[in-house]
Amino acid sequence: MPIDWEPIWLTLRLASITTILLLLIGIPLAGWLALSRFRLKAVVEALVSLPIVLPPSVVGFYLLLAFSPTSGLGAWLLRTFDVQLVFSFPGLVVASILYSLPFMVHPIQAGLENLPVSWREASYTLGQSPVRTFWRVLLPNCKPALLTGIVLSFAHTIGEFGLVLMIGGNLPGQTRVASIAIYDEVEQLHFETAHTYAALLLGLSFVILLLVYAINKRVTI
Protein backbone atom coordinates (compact mmCIF):
# COMPACT_ATOMS: atom_id res chain seq x y z
CA MET A 1 0.00 0.00 0.00
CA PRO A 2 1.60 3.33 -1.04
CA ILE A 3 2.09 5.81 1.78
CA ASP A 4 1.00 9.40 1.92
CA TRP A 5 4.16 11.53 1.99
CA GLU A 6 2.38 14.62 3.29
CA PRO A 7 2.87 13.75 7.00
CA ILE A 8 6.62 13.29 6.39
CA TRP A 9 6.99 16.67 4.66
CA LEU A 10 4.81 18.33 7.31
CA THR A 11 7.01 16.83 10.04
CA LEU A 12 10.20 18.07 8.38
CA ARG A 13 8.64 21.51 7.88
CA LEU A 14 7.59 21.69 11.52
CA ALA A 15 11.02 20.55 12.74
CA SER A 16 12.86 23.00 10.46
CA ILE A 17 10.78 26.05 11.42
CA THR A 18 10.91 25.15 15.11
CA THR A 19 14.69 24.68 15.04
CA ILE A 20 15.33 27.99 13.26
CA LEU A 21 13.13 29.90 15.72
CA LEU A 22 14.66 28.06 18.68
CA LEU A 23 18.12 29.03 17.49
CA LEU A 24 17.10 32.71 17.47
CA ILE A 25 15.54 32.42 20.93
CA GLY A 26 17.93 29.90 22.49
CA ILE A 27 21.26 31.62 21.80
CA PRO A 28 20.49 34.87 23.71
CA LEU A 29 18.70 32.95 26.49
CA ALA A 30 21.57 30.45 26.88
CA GLY A 31 24.07 33.31 26.88
CA TRP A 32 22.16 35.11 29.60
CA LEU A 33 21.86 31.97 31.72
CA ALA A 34 25.55 31.14 31.29
CA LEU A 35 26.95 34.60 31.99
CA SER A 36 24.39 36.31 34.22
CA ARG A 37 24.55 36.50 38.01
CA PHE A 38 20.86 37.23 38.41
CA ARG A 39 19.69 36.00 41.83
CA LEU A 40 16.60 34.23 40.51
CA LYS A 41 18.42 32.60 37.60
CA ALA A 42 17.69 29.16 39.08
CA VAL A 43 13.96 29.84 38.71
CA VAL A 44 14.37 30.62 35.00
CA GLU A 45 16.54 27.51 34.54
CA ALA A 46 13.87 25.38 36.23
CA LEU A 47 11.15 26.81 33.99
CA VAL A 48 13.22 26.18 30.86
CA SER A 49 13.90 22.59 31.99
CA LEU A 50 10.30 21.71 32.88
CA PRO A 51 9.49 20.09 29.48
CA ILE A 52 12.23 17.52 30.11
CA VAL A 53 10.51 16.07 33.18
CA LEU A 54 6.84 16.77 32.40
CA PRO A 55 4.85 14.31 30.27
CA PRO A 56 4.06 15.80 26.83
CA SER A 57 0.34 15.41 27.52
CA VAL A 58 0.63 17.66 30.60
CA VAL A 59 2.41 20.39 28.64
CA GLY A 60 -0.08 19.94 25.79
CA PHE A 61 -3.07 20.15 28.13
CA TYR A 62 -2.03 23.47 29.66
CA LEU A 63 -1.09 24.90 26.29
CA LEU A 64 -4.49 23.78 24.98
CA LEU A 65 -6.17 25.70 27.80
CA ALA A 66 -3.97 28.75 27.22
CA PHE A 67 -4.45 28.81 23.42
CA SER A 68 -8.18 28.07 23.48
CA PRO A 69 -10.34 30.87 22.01
CA THR A 70 -12.31 30.81 25.26
CA SER A 71 -9.23 31.71 27.34
CA GLY A 72 -7.91 35.22 27.85
CA LEU A 73 -4.77 34.69 25.76
CA GLY A 74 -6.49 32.72 23.00
CA ALA A 75 -9.35 35.22 22.75
CA TRP A 76 -6.89 38.14 22.61
CA LEU A 77 -4.86 36.50 19.82
CA LEU A 78 -8.01 35.78 17.84
CA ARG A 79 -9.44 39.25 18.35
CA THR A 80 -6.22 41.21 17.80
CA PHE A 81 -4.34 39.18 15.19
CA ASP A 82 -7.06 36.84 13.90
CA VAL A 83 -4.82 33.91 14.92
CA GLN A 84 -6.12 30.67 16.36
CA LEU A 85 -3.35 28.44 17.69
CA VAL A 86 -5.49 25.45 18.65
CA PHE A 87 -5.70 22.79 15.92
CA SER A 88 -3.47 24.74 13.55
CA PHE A 89 0.08 24.52 12.22
CA PRO A 90 1.16 27.82 13.86
CA GLY A 91 -0.06 26.36 17.16
CA LEU A 92 2.14 23.31 16.62
CA VAL A 93 5.13 25.58 16.00
CA VAL A 94 4.57 27.58 19.19
CA ALA A 95 4.02 24.42 21.24
CA SER A 96 7.08 22.75 19.74
CA ILE A 97 9.24 25.77 20.55
CA LEU A 98 8.18 25.69 24.19
CA TYR A 99 8.54 21.92 24.46
CA SER A 100 11.95 21.69 22.74
CA LEU A 101 13.43 24.84 24.31
CA PRO A 102 15.68 23.01 26.82
CA PHE A 103 17.17 20.87 24.05
CA MET A 104 18.49 24.03 22.42
CA VAL A 105 19.34 26.06 25.50
CA HIS A 106 21.13 23.47 27.65
CA PRO A 107 23.88 22.44 25.19
CA ILE A 108 24.67 26.06 24.28
CA GLN A 109 24.63 27.12 27.93
CA ALA A 110 26.98 24.28 28.87
CA GLY A 111 29.30 25.15 25.97
CA LEU A 112 29.51 28.78 27.05
CA GLU A 113 30.07 27.90 30.71
CA ASN A 114 32.97 25.62 29.78
CA LEU A 115 34.88 28.39 27.99
CA PRO A 116 37.79 29.94 29.94
CA VAL A 117 36.83 33.11 31.82
CA SER A 118 40.15 34.60 30.72
CA TRP A 119 38.81 34.88 27.15
CA ARG A 120 36.09 37.24 28.30
CA GLU A 121 38.48 39.21 30.48
CA ALA A 122 40.96 39.59 27.63
CA SER A 123 38.22 40.81 25.32
CA TYR A 124 37.02 43.36 27.87
CA THR A 125 40.61 44.51 28.38
CA LEU A 126 40.85 45.15 24.64
CA GLY A 127 37.81 47.42 24.88
CA GLN A 128 35.16 45.06 23.55
CA SER A 129 31.64 45.33 24.96
CA PRO A 130 29.94 42.33 26.59
CA VAL A 131 27.59 41.98 23.61
CA ARG A 132 30.41 42.11 21.06
CA THR A 133 32.45 39.69 23.18
CA PHE A 134 29.56 37.24 23.24
CA TRP A 135 28.97 37.27 19.47
CA ARG A 136 32.56 37.64 18.27
CA VAL A 137 34.58 35.71 20.85
CA LEU A 138 32.48 33.26 22.87
CA LEU A 139 29.86 32.01 20.44
CA PRO A 140 32.26 31.13 17.58
CA ASN A 141 34.09 28.85 20.03
CA CYS A 142 30.90 26.95 20.86
CA LYS A 143 30.32 25.35 17.47
CA PRO A 144 29.96 21.77 18.81
CA ALA A 145 27.43 22.98 21.40
CA LEU A 146 25.50 24.91 18.76
CA LEU A 147 25.40 21.91 16.46
CA THR A 148 24.28 19.65 19.30
CA GLY A 149 21.46 22.06 20.21
CA ILE A 150 20.30 22.30 16.60
CA VAL A 151 20.29 18.53 16.08
CA LEU A 152 18.64 17.69 19.40
CA SER A 153 15.91 20.28 18.83
CA PHE A 154 15.25 19.06 15.29
CA ALA A 155 15.21 15.38 16.28
CA HIS A 156 13.07 16.03 19.35
CA THR A 157 10.48 17.89 17.29
CA ILE A 158 10.33 15.03 14.79
CA GLY A 159 9.49 12.60 17.60
CA GLU A 160 6.74 14.62 19.30
CA PHE A 161 3.40 12.84 19.69
CA GLY A 162 1.42 13.65 22.83
CA LEU A 163 1.95 17.38 22.57
CA VAL A 164 1.08 17.41 18.87
CA LEU A 165 -2.07 15.38 19.45
CA MET A 166 -3.27 17.68 22.24
CA ILE A 167 -2.62 20.96 20.43
CA GLY A 168 -3.03 20.04 16.77
CA GLY A 169 -5.32 17.06 16.72
CA ASN A 170 -5.26 15.08 13.48
CA LEU A 171 -6.03 17.36 10.55
CA PRO A 172 -4.61 16.08 7.22
CA GLY A 173 -2.32 18.62 5.59
CA GLN A 174 -2.33 20.85 8.67
CA THR A 175 -1.43 18.98 11.85
CA ARG A 176 -1.19 15.29 10.84
CA VAL A 177 2.56 14.80 11.25
CA ALA A 178 4.36 11.47 10.90
CA SER A 179 4.00 10.40 14.54
CA ILE A 180 0.24 10.93 14.35
CA ALA A 181 0.12 9.09 11.01
CA ILE A 182 1.81 6.06 12.63
CA TYR A 183 -0.78 6.04 15.42
CA ASP A 184 -3.58 6.31 12.84
CA GLU A 185 -2.28 3.44 10.75
CA VAL A 186 -1.86 1.16 13.77
CA GLU A 187 -5.40 1.95 14.91
CA GLN A 188 -6.66 0.88 11.48
CA LEU A 189 -4.44 -2.24 11.56
CA HIS A 190 -2.41 -0.98 8.60
CA PHE A 191 0.82 -2.26 10.11
CA GLU A 192 2.78 -2.22 6.86
CA THR A 193 2.15 1.49 6.32
CA ALA A 194 2.85 2.23 9.99
CA HIS A 195 6.12 0.32 9.68
CA THR A 196 7.11 2.41 6.64
CA TYR A 197 6.49 5.67 8.49
CA ALA A 198 8.29 4.38 11.58
CA ALA A 199 11.27 3.11 9.56
CA LEU A 200 11.60 6.48 7.81
CA LEU A 201 11.66 8.34 11.13
CA LEU A 202 14.09 5.81 12.61
CA GLY A 203 16.44 6.09 9.64
CA LEU A 204 16.25 9.88 9.59
CA SER A 205 16.94 10.17 13.33
CA PHE A 206 19.89 7.77 13.09
CA VAL A 207 21.45 9.65 10.17
CA ILE A 208 21.04 12.99 11.96
CA LEU A 209 22.71 11.69 15.13
CA LEU A 210 25.47 9.99 13.14
CA LEU A 211 26.23 13.24 11.34
CA VAL A 212 26.35 15.31 14.53
CA TYR A 213 28.76 12.88 16.21
CA ALA A 214 30.98 12.78 13.13
CA ILE A 215 31.02 16.56 12.70
CA ASN A 216 31.58 17.20 16.42
CA LYS A 217 34.52 14.79 16.37
CA ARG A 218 36.11 16.70 13.48
CA VAL A 219 35.49 20.08 15.09
CA THR A 220 37.05 19.05 18.40
CA ILE A 221 40.17 17.44 16.86
Side-chain angles (χ1 to χ4, degrees), residues 190-214:
H190 297 159
F191 295 114
E192 185 178 341
T193 308
H195 168 67
T196 304
Y197 281 128
L200 285 170
L201 291 187
L202 175 62
L204 180 61
S205 300
F206 178 76
V207 169
I208 289 172
L209 291 175
L210 185 63
L211 284 174
V212 73
Y213 281 123

Side-chain angles (χ1 to χ4, degrees), residues 24-35:
L24 298 175
I25 297 168
I27 289 177
L29 180 56
W32 180 77
L33 289 174
L35 307 176

